[in-house]
Amino acid sequence: MDRKVLRNLSYGVYVVTSKDKDRNIGCIANSIMQVTSNPSVIAVSINHDNYTNKVIKETNKFGVSILKEKSNAKIIGTFGFKSSKDIDKFNDIDFKEILEIPVLENTCGYMVCKVIDTMETETHTVFLSKVIEADDYSNENPMTYKYYHEYLKGNAPKNAPTYEEQSIMSSDEDSKTKKWKCSICGYVYEGDELPDDFVCPICGVGKENFELVTEE
Ligand code: FE
């Protein structure tokens, strides 16, 4: 079975948000699809290990913010590679509250959803959800997972449905340029040396968190 074929499916890059008592929480999701049009129902897949999964099960309500290509990549670093258990992800992020759910500014727009059913897989919960409020902010290109992978050179967090081991993701790349990989988010920098003041464009850590990628 050649699982690489799954990489031809299209995915976006979304921030799924909710509220744990008075605390705003959220994570990145790339597996979201519209299931029906009227009423508007979507399916969202969230890993069991994500704190957001637990909170959505308690509140039955969440937001989806659709990132655009020009959205600040640090949003992905914060929401995709850190846990709401440890930090306030909304510190430094522009957002507003809609129906008591935080949604992000500087995106293509948002949906606020109410869970109508769930389905469990071994690793993820699929939340079948009705869209109860929404707004369309811009006509800019939404960020796709392919764009994130190819242009921002980012990887899927370990909890993403599309996560693959690094050897699979990079098997089609054959280059003699040195590669340095961020140990936090997987961003790959190409060049002989990392500049001293280098900061990961996705998760914001310094060069000390980068490791030289050695080819197998
Ligand atoms: Fe990083």
Side-chain angles (χ1 to χ4, degrees), residues 173-210:
E173 290 166 19
D174 182 22
S175 160
K176 293 206 169 59
T177 316
K178 275 190 189 167
K179 291 178 182 165
W180 304 82
K181 186 175 150 197
C182 176
S183 59
I184 307 296
C185 75
Y187 172 82
V188 175
Y189 172 90
E190 294 187 18
D192 282 341
E193 277 299 331
L194 284 156
D196 279 341
D197 58 353
F198 188 77
V199 172
C200 177
I202 297 202
C203 72
V205 298
K207 71 177 277 193
E208 66 280 5
N209 290 288
F210 278 74

Side-chain angles (χ1 to χ4, degrees), residues 110-152:
Y110 67 81
M111 295 169 272
V112 176
C113 305
K114 188 173 181 309
V115 177
I116 54 178
D117 209 344
T118 61
M119 186 169 64
E120 298 295 342
T121 72
E122 266 179 52
T123 55
H124 288 67
T125 306
V126 178
F127 294 96
L128 194 64
S129 311
K130 189 174 173 182
V131 178
I132 55 174
E133 183 58 84
D135 199 5
D136 184 17
Y137 288 160
S138 75
N139 55 8
E140 290 184 61
N141 288 340
M143 190 185 296
T144 60
Y145 183 71
K146 186 179 170 69
Y147 180 90
Y148 168 65
H149 180 60
E150 289 184 356
Y151 294 93
L152 299 182

